[in-house]
Amino acid sequence: MIVLKFGGTSVGDAEAIARTARIVKSRADQGAIVVVSALAGVTNGLIAIAEQAAKGHLIGALRGVEGLRERHLQQTELLLGSGEECADTCEELSAMIDELAHLAEALATLGDLTPRSLDAITSYGEKMSSIICVPAFRKQGVPAVHVDSCEVMITDSAFSRAEPQPDAIAEACRANVIPLVRDGKVPVMGGFIGSAKGTGITTTLGRGGSDYSASLFGAAVQAEAIEIWTDVDGMLTADPRVVPTAKLIDQIAFDEASELASFGAKVLHPNTIAPAVRLGIPVYVLNSRRPEGKGTKITFEAPKRAVSAIAGKNSVSLVKVGSPRMLLTEGFLRSLFEIFEKHKTSVDVVATSEVSVSLTVDDSSQLETIVSDLRELGDVSVERNRGIVAVVGGAIAEGGEAMARALHAIGDTRVHMLSLSATGINLTLVVNDDQVKPAIKRLHAEFFDGPAT
Ligand code: ADP
Ligand code: ASP
Ligand code: MG
């Protein structure tokens, strides 16, 4: 069995969906399970609808809903032409859009947007795309069957960032997915969405979560491979939007890919690698516009390079806690990290000295309460508008050359913090937010572009 995941641009319109159908057909005899994202841009549109409705701008929200209706019905008609199957699919989509309109009305009345109601609304993107893909795939001769991912992706009830429950997912796959594949069918599911164990209430895995859905399903069915189909040729040496000369990485190790994803390489959701690693399932990143390409293979065995790629992310906060007492206090770090744990905020980069700890957080939504708790431990300062640049390579720490070159390449860029991960594969630099892109460009030029001719 293999799991194929198609991102938003790979199902963005009728033409893209037809292309995707051909890719699925070429894999159907391997026992394919398909996971699809919402049509490109739809999740952003749904969030905007939810926010407008909750602010009481119902007319604007409903206008957004009707825009989605038009787009989905139009692409369905382009794909399926006229006929019964088209009419049935459009009817099903319209009923979903009506539900969405009712939800927007309810939100406007309540005037309050909770993570739970946001999930209820954003789930419609994947619900609709998976409904469209099934008849579109069948039209190309793929024996596609829709499976409601809410019945398979079982999570906890942490809305908008739900934690998947692997045992329950494996059990649901044994009941609802594997028998279909054994029967020669191709199950098609929406990524990103799930439902809370016990209550069945709709949850989501967080932005970009369809990659994670694919790897969780891959692990649950013990797939031979997980293919992430997207709009670039594979994992590249940097984000091509920042560095247009970025090069394809043929093969990369799980841990390097995971670091890159965590430090801003949006091509993979940061959690994608973990379920695959556990069972050693190779993950491929491929371009749905150029299916003949070889893409990137992510596995245990990959060439060990000093630097494999550069990544970066913006809008990070740097928190510094200084405590003269720290030197003498056992358990200081534990108390400090317990505060972050209590507020469910994960820490990315950490550096300590005898009397201070500096760390970065990505999600600053709980920062005010965190800071007030941290004040119990010492003096606290917060620097917002920071960014992180990550230089990732399996052999970066071997010998001093790569690190010296990295530091030389960034020149006079102000570095607020510098850290080398314990595994020695990621050199992270905390810089001013507006220096992230220039630093990525400089580092890429140093390691990949060769001397200018
Ligand atoms: P999808 O909708 O298919 O999930 P995403 O937009 O989430 O696609 O991810 C693909 C995008 O990731 C690319 O268009 C690219 O701009 C960005 N990206 C960032 N870093 C990298 C990288 N190192 N390699 C490839 N793509 C990257
Ligand atoms: N549609 C969701 C998002 O845009 C999930 C995904 O595309 O992976 O975040
Ligand atoms: Mg994505």
Side-chain angles (χ1 to χ4, degrees):
M1 264 176 273
I2 62 171
V3 174
L4 312 173
K5 177 262 172 177
F6 295 90
T9 46
S10 307
V11 292
D13 57 22
E15 209 183 313
I17 294 176
R19 230 175 4 238
T20 287
R22 290 193 287 276
I23 296 170
V24 176
K25 192 171 181 192
S26 72
R27 306 297 208 256
D29 60 352
Q30 295 177 48
I33 296 168
V34 176
V35 177
V36 290
S37 289
L39 274 58
V42 166
T43 309
N44 287 346
L46 289 164
I47 293 172
I49 287 167
E51 285 173 348
Q52 274 186 310
K55 279 190 205 138
H57 304 317
L58 184 58
I59 293 179
L62 292 179
R63 210 176 286 138
V65 173
E66 290 316 308
L68 289 181
R69 188 192 307 268
E70 203 180 302
R71 178 170 171 199
H72 284 83
L73 296 185
Q74 198 177 37
Q75 298 311 315
T76 304
E77 280 162 12
L78 281 171
L79 274 163
L80 304 179
S82 48
E84 208 175 319
E85 190 145 49
C86 182
D88 288 350
T89 310
C90 288
E91 198 179 316
E92 197 172 346
L93 288 170
S94 253
M96 286 181 169
I97 297 274
D98 291 343
E99 286 168 17
L100 189 58
H102 290 316
L103 279 174
E105 278 159 4
L107 264 188
T109 310
L110 288 170
D112 183 27
L113 184 59
T114 61
R116 175 175 163 176
S117 42
L118 184 63
D119 281 359
I121 290 203
T122 53
S123 66
Y124 278 86
E126 273 71 8
K127 283 182 182 162
M128 292 193 289
S129 64
S130 54
I131 288 294
I132 296 176
C133 283
V134 171
F137 289 1
R138 280 207 210 118
K139 206 175 159 201
Q140 298 273 350
V142 175
V145 185
H146 187 258
V147 175
D148 181 355
S149 38
C150 293
E151 284 175 16
V152 187
M153 179 56 67
I154 312 300
T155 70
D156 69 2
S157 45
F159 296 102
S160 295
R161 54 207 268 186
E163 197 62 54
Q165 309 291 301
D167 292 342
I169 297 167
E171 198 184 314
C173 280
R174 280 194 292 276
N176 303 321
V177 180
I178 296 175
L180 291 172
V181 181
R182 296 234 163 93
D183 214 22
K185 305 279 194 303
V186 174
V188 177
M189 297 183 268
F192 175 62
I193 58 180
S195 67
K197 195 173 182 176
T199 63
I201 299 168
T202 302
T203 56
T204 70
L205 305 183
R207 294 307 306 270
S210 295
D211 300 330
Y212 191 24
S213 300
S215 70
L216 287 159
F217 291 141
V221 305
Q222 305 194 358
E224 278 113 53
I226 297 161
E227 296 185 352
I228 305 291
W229 289 86
T230 183
D231 60 354
V232 284
D233 283 345
M235 279 200 111
L236 307 177
T237 48
D239 184 345
R241 288 179 214 191
V242 179
V243 182
T245 54
K247 294 166 182 59
L248 177 67
I249 306 170
D250 296 334
Q251 222 174 329
I252 188 165
F254 280 126
D255 54 358
E256 290 178 83
S258 185
E259 289 287 331
L260 287 168
S262 303
F263 286 93
K266 188 190 164 221
V267 64
L268 281 184
H269 183 280
N271 295 345
T272 314
I273 300 297
V277 169
R278 241 169 273 130
L279 297 174
I281 305 171
V283 177
Y284 294 83
V285 181
L286 297 144
N287 189 344
S288 65
R289 288 205 188 96
R290 283 196 339 104
E292 66 284 4
K294 291 185 74 176
T296 300
K297 182 178 184 185
I298 309 171
T299 49
F300 286 118
E301 318 88 36
K304 209 167 172 191
R305 292 164 290 241
V307 177
S308 294
I310 320 283
K313 60 182 177 183
N314 291 97
S315 306
V316 165
S317 299
L318 176 59
V319 181
K320 293 180 181 167
V321 186
S323 169
R325 286 172 291 132
M326 188 176 154
L327 181 66
L328 302 171
T329 337
E330 272 174 29
F332 178 86
L333 284 176
R334 181 169 46 78
S335 323
L336 184 127
F337 285 115
E338 270 171 4
I339 293 173
F340 287 89
E341 193 186 338
K342 184 173 117 195
H343 297 288
K344 294 196 163 46
T345 296
S346 64
V347 168
D348 277 336
V349 190
V350 187
T352 64
S353 75
E354 286 294 327
V355 289
S356 75
V357 182
S358 308
L359 42 82
T360 66
V361 295
D362 207 2
D363 167 13
S364 55
S365 59
Q366 305 300 314
L367 208 51
E368 268 172 40
T369 24
I370 290 174
V371 167
S372 102
D373 286 1
L374 287 173
R375 291 223 157 93
E376 305 279 313
L377 299 178
D379 300 328
V380 185
S381 69
V382 177
E383 298 169 18
R384 292 180 192 258
N385 301 326
R386 298 285 179 247
I388 298 182
V389 178
V391 185
V392 174
I396 193 165
E398 288 175 15
E401 200 212 346
M403 273 194 284
R405 278 176 72 189
L407 295 179
H408 184 255
I410 58 160
D412 57 2
T413 308
R414 169 104 162 82
V415 176
H416 297 274
M417 191 174 146
L418 189 139
S419 155
L420 181 69
S421 64
T423 48
I425 66 163
N426 184 359
L427 175 69
T428 45
L429 309 160
V430 178
V431 298
N432 288 345
D433 210 31
D434 60 2
Q435 289 305 307
V436 171
K437 282 186 184 153
I440 291 176
K441 286 182 183 158
R442 285 179 180 196
L443 288 161
H444 194 274
E446 172 67 30
F447 288 105
F448 300 103
D449 292 336
T453 47

